[in-house]
Amino acid sequence: ATNELSIRHEHFMTSNIEKYLHSLKPKTIANKLIAKKVLICSLAGETHSLGLLMAELVCKYLGAKIVFLGANTPEDEIVALAEAIQVDVVAISVPLSSANIQTEKRIKALRLLLPSKTEMIIGSKGERSNRMASIGISYVKDFKSFKEIISG
């Protein structure tokens, strides 16, 4: 035993955490119920989902209607679903390891394809907020900020 976790360990634990978090039904804040429909996903090629699951819990807590697409979602599918069911918010998780110029370009392109009334929130520790705010994309670095934007 080397006291190290392998990919199989990470995947096993993530799978179990996902099942547990999806099953949670937190009490909503009665006076803070929001009527927004929120699509939660990550971009194609991104396989990490813990941030998505935490965003789902925040939305459940606020009483939002959630459409959970999960990780590794092609951009054209995000747009198609956002249009088909008229979501109010598209929330995308971008792990720090993926927060780069190429991802930023993909996010900007996605923003242009979404209906103009659809809010776009990107959860990421990568600093992009100054460059993206002007084109209708909100970047949040923590769940407090995410909650404020979703409930605002």
Side-chain angles (χ1 to χ4, degrees):
T2 62
N3 292 328
E4 292 182 19
L5 294 178
S6 69
I7 292 173
R8 71 179 178 275
H9 296 116
E10 178 190 349
H11 287 194
F12 177 77
M13 289 307 298
T14 299
S15 175
N16 284 298
I17 290 169
E18 283 178 355
K19 288 176 194 172
Y20 175 71
L21 291 177
H22 277 306
S23 73
L24 292 177
K25 303 206 183 314
K27 290 185 179 179
T28 57
I29 309 170
N31 62 347
K32 294 271 187 177
L33 288 177
I34 61 170
K36 291 182 179 176
K37 190 183 299 181
V38 182
L39 188 157
I40 301 173
C41 60
S42 65
L43 301 177
E46 180 51 61
T47 59
H48 295 93
S49 60
L50 191 56
L52 300 172
L53 295 166
M54 292 186 288
E56 178 185 24
L57 281 178
V58 170
C59 290
K60 281 182 179 180
Y61 179 70
L62 294 171
K65 296 175 187 103
I66 302 160
V67 180
F68 190 89
L69 283 181
N72 197 22
T73 308
E75 286 88 323
D76 60 334
E77 296 295 330
I78 295 169
V79 172
L81 185 60
E83 290 175 343
I85 64 172
Q86 299 179 347
V87 299
D88 300 298
V89 178
V90 172
I92 297 175
S93 176
V94 178
L96 183 57
S97 61
S98 299
N100 55 46
I101 298 299
Q102 185 59 36
T103 300
E104 185 177 321
K105 288 178 182 177
R106 292 171 66 194
I107 289 168
K108 286 180 179 179
L110 178 59
R111 169 69 267 179
L112 294 173
L113 295 172
L114 290 170
S116 60
K117 66 182 179 112
T118 303
E119 293 179 66
M120 189 173 191
I121 302 172
I122 308 299
S124 178
K125 296 279 185 186
E127 178 55 57
R128 301 281 188 260
S129 57
N130 294 336
R131 293 194 299 249
M132 302 295 257
S134 64
I135 61 167
I137 300 171
S138 299
Y139 262 80
V140 296
K141 292 184 178 192
D142 56 49
F143 286 100
K144 180 181 178 189
S145 302
F146 179 69
K147 179 182 168 232
E148 289 170 1
I149 291 173
I150 289 288
S151 59

